[in-house]
Amino acid sequence: MTELSKDAAPPGPASGSTPAQVKGRNGQLALLGGTLLVDNTEASLVSSLFPLIKQSLGVSLGALGILTAASKIVGVFAGPFWVWAAQRTSRKSVLVVATGLWGVWGLAAGFSQNFTQLLIFYTILAAGYAAGGPIITEVIGDLFGSSSRGRAVGIVYGTVSLVSAVIGPLKGQLAGVDEGWRWGLWGIGTFNVLLGLALLIWFRDPGRGAAEQQLADLDQATRDAHSKLTWDKAFSLLKIRSLMILIISRLLSGHLLVITFGVVFLVDVHGFSTQKAALVTLPFGVGYFLGTLLGGAASDWASRRSPRYGPVAVLQAAQFAFAVFAFFGTQFHYDSILVYGTFFALMGASQGINPSVNRPMVMAITPPELRAPAFALYVSIAEAIAWAGYSLGAGFLADAVGLGAVFLWVLVVLMVINGLFLSLLYRPYAADTVRVQRELDARRDTALTEPR
């Protein structure tokens, strides 16, 4: 594999290529962001209102770990399946069904009469959400070129988090309604179905490779002919060193736990009411939103200043920052929820940097047809296993040693280890981005020289 000398920038697109500018991309981005928002809101509803579910169904804290773990484990199988289905049919049809109309299972979950029923319906619901991560992220890569992907990803994930943060305290107010968690599932499930219909009517798939400068001026049939996904190509993902390091790093991402157990932590460890504890979801979401914008801008700036080291350094710094904020925000007792809100905002900001940096990095080291499978590995499998493992382990460990100790080891110590581990990414990342650019250049040359 070719190595770059010093800090040289990867070679640019082929000479004579057309600047990539997908028509109507901002409108499509808004529609995809809305899909992620509804999916994210319904997926987080159970964790936010678990104290009510705990009381309503008579379960222990470990049940939250089981719910979260089951919803993530099913994604390990469902994510790759939806990617395969999108290759065989269309990305639009999969998004309409899996991330839209699938909301009927949320409605069913609201009618659960015991924990077993809730577990079954919630797990089926999560199987549909598993399509959103890899497919929507892949489409964003086809809507925006490499120079603007960081900002696009940051805007989507940031806006989703910000609106979710605003909705968070409102979800907490359902604690004052009899069986409020059921009404939450019914309401979000309904919106999910409506959004599926909106996707059916207004979503327009730009096609794979539409935003690549080397391929932008080629027709879709030509792009597809030279970028078909095969089993050999799919298995070649395992040979991309940068991707393997990013995947292992995702397995070490202990900060995922704060989303699942943050509210419960403040209730059980620091004695706040569910309604008051839920207030921290707002500053967390605002912080996450600002972090995604900061991460997108920092990633684009760092890539221009130092293609070899820039994005990796930003990603690494985000892990260390989270560990510091988590230490001071979870290992000390403060009487005011405002203090916790401040630290949750800082944790949200440092966590929000991640998707704006790591998603464009995955896009940079994979050709268009491999991005959905890559994100299936990275999000649907690696992130799901990590989230399931931490949530399941934390749920039972919390019953034994308390959430305070769990948060120390997972949110602080493990995140420091993760930051150190990312040092391994410096060498292979630049070489892998060069390889992709050369492959796209070769495809363009082949498409222009082959007889029609």
Side-chain angles (χ1 to χ4, degrees), residues 9 20-21 75 79 87-88 110 129 170 179 191 201 316 359 402 419 422:
Q21 182 74 27
Q87 290 278 345
R88 296 296 298 270
Y129 293 153
L170 298 179
E179 297 291 294
F191 277 111
I201 297 170
Q316 188 176 37
R359 266 62 169 183
L422 283 171

Side-chain angles (χ1 to χ4, degrees), residues 246-317:
L246 284 169
I247 287 175
I248 296 174
S249 173
R250 206 59 183 162
L251 294 173
L252 298 175
S253 295
H255 56 47
L256 299 171
L257 192 65
V258 75
I259 299 175
T260 305
F261 280 89
V263 173
V264 179
F265 167 80
L266 293 175
V267 173
D268 284 11
V269 177
H270 294 292
F272 291 101
S273 67
T274 299
Q275 289 170 290
K276 182 171 287 188
L279 294 175
V280 301
T281 60
L282 177 58
F284 181 88
V286 172
Y288 192 97
F289 170 70
L290 296 176
T292 57
L293 299 183
L294 173 64
S299 178
D300 292 342
W301 175 83
S303 296
R304 292 191 298 268
R305 293 295 300 269
S306 179
R308 177 189 286 272
Y309 303 119
V312 181
V314 174
L315 187 62
Q316 188 176 37

Side-chain angles (χ1 to χ4, degrees), residues 2-14 146 214 302-311 364-365 428-438 441:
T2 304
E3 294 284 352
L4 294 180
S5 61
K6 297 183 179 179
D7 196 28
S146 58
Q214 294 94 331
S303 296
R304 292 191 298 268
R305 293 295 300 269
S306 179
R308 177 189 286 272
Y309 303 119
I365 59 178
Y429 176 72
D432 287 335
T433 57
V434 169
R435 172 185 48 77
V436 171
Q437 289 301 312
R438 288 177 175 167
D441 289 341

Side-chain angles (χ1 to χ4, degrees), residues 225-243:
H226 291 274
S227 62
K228 290 181 179 178
L229 179 63
T230 64
W231 283 109
D232 288 341
K233 286 185 177 182
F235 282 111
S236 70
L237 287 171
L238 302 178
K239 300 178 182 179
I240 302 176
R241 290 184 294 166
S242 299
L243 181 61

Side-chain angles (χ1 to χ4, degrees), residues 106-419:
L107 296 172
F111 288 100
S112 300
Q113 297 302 305
N114 52 56
F115 179 72
T116 300
Q117 291 179 9
L118 178 62
L119 177 62
I120 292 172
F121 290 134
Y122 190 63
T123 302
I124 296 174
L125 179 66
Y129 293 153
I135 295 177
I136 289 178
T137 310
E138 179 194 32
V139 174
I140 293 175
D142 292 326
L143 288 171
F144 293 85
S146 58
S147 62
S148 56
R149 281 176 185 151
R151 285 170 289 176
V153 172
I155 289 172
V156 168
Y157 281 87
T159 303
V160 167
S161 178
L162 180 62
V163 179
S164 296
V166 174
I167 296 175
L170 298 179
K171 290 187 295 184
Q173 301 315 304
L174 290 172
V177 180
D178 186 37
E179 297 291 294
W181 64 275
R182 298 184 188 275
W183 287 100
L185 284 170
W186 292 333
I188 297 298
T190 300
F191 277 111
N192 211 342
V193 173
L194 293 176
L195 193 56
L197 297 176
L199 286 168
L200 179 63
I201 297 170
W202 290 299
F203 178 66
R204 299 291 180 268
D205 193 333
R208 291 180 178 85
E212 300 297 339
Q213 289 189 341
Q214 294 94 331
L215 310 178
D217 59 344
L218 304 178
D219 60 80
Q220 185 61 48
T222 302
R223 292 202 304 265
D224 290 342
H226 291 274
S227 62
K228 290 181 179 178
L229 179 63
T230 64
W231 283 109
D232 288 341
K233 286 185 177 182
F235 282 111
S236 70
L237 287 171
L238 302 178
K239 300 178 182 179
I240 302 176
R241 290 184 294 166
S242 299
L243 181 61
M244 293 301 100
I245 294 172
L246 284 169
I247 287 175
I248 296 174
S249 173
R250 206 59 183 162
L251 294 173
L252 298 175
S253 295
H255 56 47
L256 299 171
L257 192 65
V258 75
I259 299 175
T260 305
F261 280 89
V263 173
V264 179
F265 167 80
L266 293 175
V267 173
D268 284 11
V269 177
H270 294 292
F272 291 101
S273 67
T274 299
Q275 289 170 290
K276 182 171 287 188
L279 294 175
V280 301
T281 60
L282 177 58
F284 181 88
V286 172
Y288 192 97
F289 170 70
L290 296 176
T292 57
L293 299 183
L294 173 64
S299 178
D300 292 342
W301 175 83
S303 296
R304 292 191 298 268
R305 293 295 300 269
S306 179
R308 177 189 286 272
Y309 303 119
V312 181
V314 174
L315 187 62
Q316 188 176 37
Q319 316 312 306
F320 291 134
F322 183 91
V324 172
F325 298 141
F327 176 71
F328 289 103
T330 66
Q331 299 306 305
F332 298 90
H333 178 75
Y334 308 104
D335 293 329
S336 174
I337 194 67
L338 295 177
V339 178
Y340 288 105
T342 300
F343 281 111
F344 269 71
L346 293 172
M347 284 189 282
S350 54
Q351 185 173 346
I353 293 173
N354 286 277
S356 303
V357 182
N358 58 38
R359 266 62 169 183
M361 289 177 70
V362 172
M363 295 175 191
I365 59 178
T366 53
E369 72 278 4
L370 288 183
R371 286 171 189 159
F375 282 116
L377 282 174
Y378 188 63
V379 179
S380 299
I381 296 180
E383 183 175 304
I385 290 174
W387 213 322
Y390 294 134
S391 298
L392 188 60
F396 289 106
L397 284 175
D399 288 334
V401 301
L403 270 178
V406 172
F407 270 35
L408 173 63
W409 285 99
V410 177
L411 301 187
V412 181
V413 176
L414 189 62
M415 290 306 295
V416 171
I417 295 173
N418 192 12

